[in-house]
Amino acid sequence: MKPIGPMMWEHRLIEKMLRLFDDEIRKIIEWNKVDTVFIDTAVDFIRTYADRTHHGKEEDILFRDLEKKKLSSEHARIMAELTEEHKYARRTVGKLIDAKERYLKGENTSQFVVSFLKELAWFYPQHIEKEDKHFFFPCMEYFTKEEQDRMLSEFWEFDRKMIHEKYTKVVDLLIGERGKGAEK
Ligand SMILES: [Fe+2]
Ligand SMILES: [Fe+2]
């Protein structure tokens, strides 16, 4: 299997999650109420799965190895765009969290929550299409079969570490919150 195989499976799950946003947006507009549990779940999915696990493999492994190759100007341009787009997604998720936090404090930020959900629902399919249709396949041509096999093994190893990284973070966060509570 080529290393882009698992990357494309991950795209399918990201798309599936993003499709749920439309219904959520409709509900917020209809009821002028935000389901903050849904937002927390969506944020966790994007941060842990789409960003850390998926964009992480793209940036830390695929793009890192591509940078060592002599890329065509078109591929170099697309890679720079993709990196910028990952940053844009991180910023948008940050804004969504901020709007949700303010909502929890009693501010009516539902229209902001809607607009950031819309931004993400609009952004990801385009980003994914750029990678699937214009980047991943031609990029594999820069690598030998051995290099591709090594990359795939590195992807599996990257994934293996994720569950531990995620739950170490969860526990550290809880300990931090308890610490804050004890200071009060
Ligand atoms: Fe990406
Ligand atoms: Fe991707």
Side-chain angles (χ1 to χ4, degrees):
M1 182 177 27
K2 288 184 181 295
I4 53 172
M7 305 308 280
M8 292 173 82
W9 303 336
E10 289 172 11
H11 282 170
R12 302 293 78 81
L13 188 63
I14 296 168
E15 285 169 342
K16 225 174 172 180
M17 180 68 184
L18 268 290
R19 279 198 291 272
L20 297 174
F21 282 23
D22 291 339
D23 199 40
E24 209 50 41
I25 290 165
R26 190 189 48 74
K27 279 197 275 179
I28 300 172
I29 294 171
E30 196 175 323
W31 303 103
N32 195 29
K33 254 190 193 158
V34 176
D35 175 354
T36 56
V37 174
F38 177 86
I39 303 297
D40 284 343
T41 309
V43 164
D44 182 58
F45 176 87
I46 295 176
R47 284 195 150 169
T48 307
Y49 188 79
D51 194 34
R52 186 69 191 108
T53 307
H54 179 77
H55 295 164
K57 286 201 287 299
E58 288 172 350
E59 291 182 0
D60 297 358
I61 302 171
L62 175 65
F63 296 0
R64 176 204 66 195
D65 288 356
L66 281 170
E67 266 165 21
K68 296 175 193 154
K69 305 284 180 186
K70 192 150 177 31
L71 298 187
S72 73
S73 58
E74 195 205 351
H75 294 146
R77 175 185 57 79
I78 296 178
M79 190 163 82
E81 281 174 17
L82 294 172
T83 307
E84 274 315 303
E85 288 171 15
H86 292 168
K87 288 184 192 157
Y88 162 83
R90 278 171 210 137
R91 283 197 300 273
T92 310
V93 171
K95 289 179 191 171
L96 174 62
I97 295 168
D98 180 60
K100 181 218 67 177
E101 291 296 324
R102 288 194 287 140
Y103 180 86
L104 283 174
K105 284 179 189 149
E107 241 183 278
N108 187 2
T109 56
S110 58
Q111 74 276 23
F112 294 108
V113 172
V114 164
S115 82
F116 299 132
L117 287 175
K118 274 188 185 166
E119 272 193 50
L120 290 164
W122 163 84
F123 160 77
Y124 269 104
Q126 297 189 53
H127 179 78
I128 285 172
E129 190 179 326
K130 195 186 277 187
E131 290 177 340
D132 279 356
K133 301 220 169 110
H134 305 283
F135 194 67
F136 282 174
F137 281 102
C139 280
M140 286 297 103
E141 303 289 318
Y142 292 105
F143 301 109
T144 63
K145 168 85 175 69
E146 288 69 35
E147 285 174 322
Q148 291 187 27
D149 289 346
R150 230 177 298 135
M151 192 182 291
L152 187 60
S153 308
E154 214 185 328
F155 279 178
W156 298 141
E157 182 56 19
F158 190 93
D159 284 350
R160 193 189 63 75
K161 289 180 186 156
M162 274 307 126
I163 192 91
H164 303 284
E165 183 183 302
K166 158 81 185 168
Y167 286 101
T168 302
K169 242 189 240 168
V170 168
V171 173
D172 286 348
L173 198 75
L174 286 174
I175 293 172
E177 278 170 11
R178 293 274 160 90
K180 266 189 236 158
E183 280 165 23
K184 279 177 195 166

PDB file of all heavy atoms in Angstrom, residues 7-8 10-11 14 50 54-55 58 63 82 86 124 127-128 131-132 136, ligand 2:
ATOM      1  N   MET A   7      -4.047   8.151   4.402  1.00  0.00           N
ATOM      2  CA  MET A   7      -4.379   9.585   4.431  1.00  0.00           C
ATOM      3  C   MET A   7      -5.748   9.825   3.791  1.00  0.00           C
ATOM      4  O   MET A   7      -6.522  10.662   4.240  1.00  0.00           O
ATOM      5  CB  MET A   7      -3.334  10.411   3.661  1.00  0.00           C
ATOM      6  CG  MET A   7      -1.910  10.208   4.117  1.00  0.00           C
ATOM      7  SD  MET A   7      -1.765  10.428   5.876  1.00  0.00           S
ATOM      8  CE  MET A   7      -1.727  12.180   5.948  1.00  0.00           C
ATOM      9  N   MET A   8      -6.022   9.046   2.742  1.00  0.00           N
ATOM     10  CA  MET A   8      -7.304   9.230   2.064  1.00  0.00           C
ATOM     11  C   MET A   8      -8.460   8.624   2.871  1.00  0.00           C
ATOM     12  O   MET A   8      -9.555   9.171   2.879  1.00  0.00           O
ATOM     13  CB  MET A   8      -7.224   8.702   0.632  1.00  0.00           C
ATOM     14  CG  MET A   8      -6.290   9.598  -0.180  1.00  0.00           C
ATOM     15  SD  MET A   8      -5.905   9.037  -1.826  1.00  0.00           S
ATOM     16  CE  MET A   8      -7.298   9.584  -2.741  1.00  0.00           C
ATOM     17  N   GLU A  10      -8.542   8.694   6.057  1.00  0.00           N
ATOM     18  CA  GLU A  10      -8.770   9.718   7.094  1.00  0.00           C
ATOM     19  C   GLU A  10      -9.599  10.872   6.531  1.00  0.00           C
ATOM     20  O   GLU A  10     -10.472  11.411   7.216  1.00  0.00           O
ATOM     21  CB  GLU A  10      -7.429  10.211   7.650  1.00  0.00           C
ATOM     22  CG  GLU A  10      -6.748   9.144   8.496  1.00  0.00           C
ATOM     23  CD  GLU A  10      -5.326   9.483   8.919  1.00  0.00           C
ATOM     24  OE1 GLU A  10      -4.883  10.634   8.741  1.00  0.00           O
ATOM     25  OE2 GLU A  10      -4.644   8.575   9.424  1.00  0.00           O
ATOM     26  N   HIS A  11      -9.338  11.226   5.283  1.00  0.00           N
ATOM     27  CA  HIS A  11     -10.161  12.278   4.648  1.00  0.00           C
ATOM     28  C   HIS A  11     -11.637  11.906   4.664  1.00  0.00           C
ATOM     29  O   HIS A  11     -12.494  12.759   4.881  1.00  0.00           O
ATOM     30  CB  HIS A  11      -9.707  12.494   3.194  1.00  0.00           C
ATOM     31  CG  HIS A  11      -8.466  13.313   3.074  1.00  0.00           C
ATOM     32  ND1 HIS A  11      -7.784  13.454   1.896  1.00  0.00           N
ATOM     33  CD2 HIS A  11      -7.795  14.058   3.994  1.00  0.00           C
ATOM     34  CE1 HIS A  11      -6.734  14.244   2.091  1.00  0.00           C
ATOM     35  NE2 HIS A  11      -6.720  14.619   3.355  1.00  0.00           N
ATOM     36  N   ILE A  14     -13.112  12.568   8.065  1.00  0.00           N
ATOM     37  CA  ILE A  14     -13.215  14.021   8.305  1.00  0.00           C
ATOM     38  C   ILE A  14     -14.442  14.568   7.564  1.00  0.00           C
ATOM     39  O   ILE A  14     -15.237  15.327   8.128  1.00  0.00           O
ATOM     40  CB  ILE A  14     -11.910  14.760   7.887  1.00  0.00           C
ATOM     41  CG1 ILE A  14     -10.743  14.295   8.770  1.00  0.00           C
ATOM     42  CG2 ILE A  14     -12.079  16.280   7.970  1.00  0.00           C
ATOM     43  CD1 ILE A  14      -9.361  14.712   8.285  1.00  0.00           C
ATOM     44  N   ALA A  50      -8.325  15.392  13.044  1.00  0.00           N
ATOM     45  CA  ALA A  50      -8.028  16.070  11.776  1.00  0.00           C
ATOM     46  C   ALA A  50      -6.701  16.824  11.846  1.00  0.00           C
ATOM     47  O   ALA A  50      -5.920  16.798  10.901  1.00  0.00           O
ATOM     48  CB  ALA A  50      -9.164  17.026  11.412  1.00  0.00           C
ATOM     49  N   HIS A  54      -3.951  13.740  11.631  1.00  0.00           N
ATOM     50  CA  HIS A  54      -3.928  13.745  10.158  1.00  0.00           C
ATOM     51  C   HIS A  54      -2.989  14.820   9.589  1.00  0.00           C
ATOM     52  O   HIS A  54      -2.036  14.499   8.885  1.00  0.00           O
ATOM     53  CB  HIS A  54      -5.356  13.904   9.623  1.00  0.00           C
ATOM     54  CG  HIS A  54      -5.406  13.933   8.144  1.00  0.00           C
ATOM     55  ND1 HIS A  54      -5.285  12.807   7.367  1.00  0.00           N
ATOM     56  CD2 HIS A  54      -5.517  14.975   7.267  1.00  0.00           C
ATOM     57  CE1 HIS A  54      -5.326  13.150   6.091  1.00  0.00           C
ATOM     58  NE2 HIS A  54      -5.465  14.457   6.004  1.00  0.00           N
ATOM     59  N   HIS A  55      -3.230  16.080   9.936  1.00  0.00           N
ATOM     60  CA  HIS A  55      -2.311  17.119   9.457  1.00  0.00           C
ATOM     61  C   HIS A  55      -0.919  16.864  10.005  1.00  0.00           C
ATOM     62  O   HIS A  55       0.074  17.222   9.375  1.00  0.00           O
ATOM     63  CB  HIS A  55      -2.760  18.523   9.906  1.00  0.00           C
ATOM     64  CG  HIS A  55      -4.066  18.963   9.327  1.00  0.00           C
ATOM     65  ND1 HIS A  55      -4.773  20.015   9.847  1.00  0.00           N
ATOM     66  CD2 HIS A  55      -4.782  18.506   8.280  1.00  0.00           C
ATOM     67  CE1 HIS A  55      -5.887  20.187   9.139  1.00  0.00           C
ATOM     68  NE2 HIS A  55      -5.919  19.279   8.188  1.00  0.00           N
ATOM     69  N   GLU A  58       0.808  14.644   7.694  1.00  0.00           N
ATOM     70  CA  GLU A  58       1.130  15.384   6.461  1.00  0.00           C
ATOM     71  C   GLU A  58       2.354  16.273   6.689  1.00  0.00           C
ATOM     72  O   GLU A  58       3.333  16.207   5.935  1.00  0.00           O
ATOM     73  CB  GLU A  58      -0.075  16.238   6.035  1.00  0.00           C
ATOM     74  CG  GLU A  58      -1.214  15.394   5.480  1.00  0.00           C
ATOM     75  CD  GLU A  58      -2.503  16.152   5.206  1.00  0.00           C
ATOM     76  OE1 GLU A  58      -2.627  17.337   5.608  1.00  0.00           O
ATOM     77  OE2 GLU A  58      -3.404  15.559   4.606  1.00  0.00           O
ATOM     78  N   PHE A  63       5.306  16.138   4.205  1.00  0.00           N
ATOM     79  CA  PHE A  63       5.859  17.423   3.736  1.00  0.00           C
ATOM     80  C   PHE A  63       7.349  17.517   4.083  1.00  0.00           C
ATOM     81  O   PHE A  63       8.144  18.038   3.310  1.00  0.00           O
ATOM     82  CB  PHE A  63       5.112  18.622   4.342  1.00  0.00           C
ATOM     83  CG  PHE A  63       3.655  18.753   3.944  1.00  0.00           C
ATOM     84  CD1 PHE A  63       3.054  17.832   3.096  1.00  0.00           C
ATOM     85  CD2 PHE A  63       2.872  19.805   4.428  1.00  0.00           C
ATOM     86  CE1 PHE A  63       1.702  17.948   2.737  1.00  0.00           C
ATOM     87  CE2 PHE A  63       1.529  19.938   4.067  1.00  0.00           C
ATOM     88  CZ  PHE A  63       0.942  19.003   3.227  1.00  0.00           C
ATOM     89  N   LEU A  82      -1.136  24.362   1.309  1.00  0.00           N
ATOM     90  CA  LEU A  82      -1.726  23.395   2.239  1.00  0.00           C
ATOM     91  C   LEU A  82      -1.293  23.689   3.674  1.00  0.00           C
ATOM     92  O   LEU A  82      -2.106  23.625   4.600  1.00  0.00           O
ATOM     93  CB  LEU A  82      -1.335  21.963   1.840  1.00  0.00           C
ATOM     94  CG  LEU A  82      -1.898  21.453   0.504  1.00  0.00           C
ATOM     95  CD1 LEU A  82      -1.271  20.112   0.133  1.00  0.00           C
ATOM     96  CD2 LEU A  82      -3.425  21.323   0.551  1.00  0.00           C
ATOM     97  N   HIS A  86      -3.732  24.632   6.822  1.00  0.00           N
ATOM     98  CA  HIS A  86      -3.765  23.969   8.143  1.00  0.00           C
ATOM     99  C   HIS A  86      -3.767  25.035   9.250  1.00  0.00           C
ATOM    100  O   HIS A  86      -4.482  24.909  10.244  1.00  0.00           O
ATOM    101  CB  HIS A  86      -2.556  23.052   8.338  1.00  0.00           C
ATOM    102  CG  HIS A  86      -2.553  21.842   7.444  1.00  0.00           C
ATOM    103  ND1 HIS A  86      -1.455  21.033   7.297  1.00  0.00           N
ATOM    104  CD2 HIS A  86      -3.529  21.307   6.655  1.00  0.00           C
ATOM    105  CE1 HIS A  86      -1.756  20.044   6.465  1.00  0.00           C
ATOM    106  NE2 HIS A  86      -2.996  20.201   6.051  1.00  0.00           N
ATOM    107  N   TYR A 124     -12.872  22.454   4.817  1.00  0.00           N
ATOM    108  CA  TYR A 124     -12.279  21.111   4.729  1.00  0.00           C
ATOM    109  C   TYR A 124     -12.489  20.403   3.394  1.00  0.00           C
ATOM    110  O   TYR A 124     -11.525  19.868   2.834  1.00  0.00           O
ATOM    111  CB  TYR A 124     -12.719  20.235   5.909  1.00  0.00           C
ATOM    112  CG  TYR A 124     -11.743  20.339   7.065  1.00  0.00           C
ATOM    113  CD1 TYR A 124     -12.036  21.072   8.187  1.00  0.00           C
ATOM    114  CD2 TYR A 124     -10.500  19.700   7.004  1.00  0.00           C
ATOM    115  CE1 TYR A 124     -11.129  21.191   9.239  1.00  0.00           C
ATOM    116  CE2 TYR A 124      -9.592  19.808   8.043  1.00  0.00           C
ATOM    117  CZ  TYR A 124      -9.917  20.552   9.158  1.00  0.00           C
ATOM    118  OH  TYR A 124      -9.009  20.664  10.178  1.00  0.00           O
ATOM    119  N   HIS A 127     -10.023  21.743   0.878  1.00  0.00           N
ATOM    120  CA  HIS A 127      -8.641  21.385   1.232  1.00  0.00           C
ATOM    121  C   HIS A 127      -8.377  19.912   0.875  1.00  0.00           C
ATOM    122  O   HIS A 127      -7.361  19.576   0.268  1.00  0.00           O
ATOM    123  CB  HIS A 127      -8.464  21.623   2.737  1.00  0.00           C
ATOM    124  CG  HIS A 127      -7.121  21.274   3.253  1.00  0.00           C
ATOM    125  ND1 HIS A 127      -6.014  22.079   3.086  1.00  0.00           N
ATOM    126  CD2 HIS A 127      -6.686  20.178   3.933  1.00  0.00           C
ATOM    127  CE1 HIS A 127      -4.965  21.505   3.651  1.00  0.00           C
ATOM    128  NE2 HIS A 127      -5.339  20.343   4.165  1.00  0.00           N
ATOM    129  N   ILE A 128      -9.344  19.072   1.246  1.00  0.00           N
ATOM    130  CA  ILE A 128      -9.216  17.632   0.993  1.00  0.00           C
ATOM    131  C   ILE A 128      -9.178  17.354  -0.508  1.00  0.00           C
ATOM    132  O   ILE A 128      -8.386  16.542  -0.988  1.00  0.00           O
ATOM    133  CB  ILE A 128     -10.382  16.883   1.691  1.00  0.00           C
ATOM    134  CG1 ILE A 128     -10.119  16.833   3.206  1.00  0.00           C
ATOM    135  CG2 ILE A 128     -10.591  15.493   1.116  1.00  0.00           C
ATOM    136  CD1 ILE A 128     -11.267  16.289   4.039  1.00  0.00           C
ATOM    137  N   GLU A 131      -5.801  18.057  -1.946  1.00  0.00           N
ATOM    138  CA  GLU A 131      -4.822  17.006  -1.639  1.00  0.00           C
ATOM    139  C   GLU A 131      -5.107  15.736  -2.432  1.00  0.00           C
ATOM    140  O   GLU A 131      -4.206  15.165  -3.057  1.00  0.00           O
ATOM    141  CB  GLU A 131      -4.845  16.705  -0.139  1.00  0.00           C
ATOM    142  CG  GLU A 131      -4.275  17.853   0.658  1.00  0.00           C
ATOM    143  CD  GLU A 131      -4.322  17.654   2.169  1.00  0.00           C
ATOM    144  OE1 GLU A 131      -5.115  16.811   2.647  1.00  0.00           O
ATOM    145  OE2 GLU A 131      -3.586  18.358   2.863  1.00  0.00           O
ATOM    146  N   ASP A 132      -6.365  15.294  -2.400  1.00  0.00           N
ATOM    147  CA  ASP A 132      -6.728  14.030  -3.074  1.00  0.00           C
ATOM    148  C   ASP A 132      -6.520  14.106  -4.583  1.00  0.00           C
ATOM    149  O   ASP A 132      -6.030  13.178  -5.196  1.00  0.00           O
ATOM    150  CB  ASP A 132      -8.215  13.705  -2.831  1.00  0.00           C
ATOM    151  CG  ASP A 132      -8.458  13.060  -1.469  1.00  0.00           C
ATOM    152  OD1 ASP A 132      -7.488  12.800  -0.755  1.00  0.00           O
ATOM    153  OD2 ASP A 132      -9.643  12.822  -1.133  1.00  0.00           O
ATOM    154  N   PHE A 136      -1.528  14.422  -3.655  1.00  0.00           N
ATOM    155  CA  PHE A 136      -1.034  13.149  -3.123  1.00  0.00           C
ATOM    156  C   PHE A 136      -0.458  12.217  -4.194  1.00  0.00           C
ATOM    157  O   PHE A 136       0.654  11.720  -4.054  1.00  0.00           O
ATOM    158  CB  PHE A 136      -2.156  12.426  -2.364  1.00  0.00           C
ATOM    159  CG  PHE A 136      -2.412  12.956  -0.980  1.00  0.00           C
ATOM    160  CD1 PHE A 136      -3.483  12.466  -0.238  1.00  0.00           C
ATOM    161  CD2 PHE A 136      -1.603  13.929  -0.408  1.00  0.00           C
ATOM    162  CE1 PHE A 136      -3.733  12.930   1.046  1.00  0.00           C
ATOM    163  CE2 PHE A 136      -1.855  14.410   0.869  1.00  0.00           C
ATOM    164  CZ  PHE A 136      -2.924  13.907   1.603  1.00  0.00           C
TER     165      PHE A 136
HETATM  166 FE    FE B   2      -5.310  15.868   4.409  1.00  0.00          FE
END
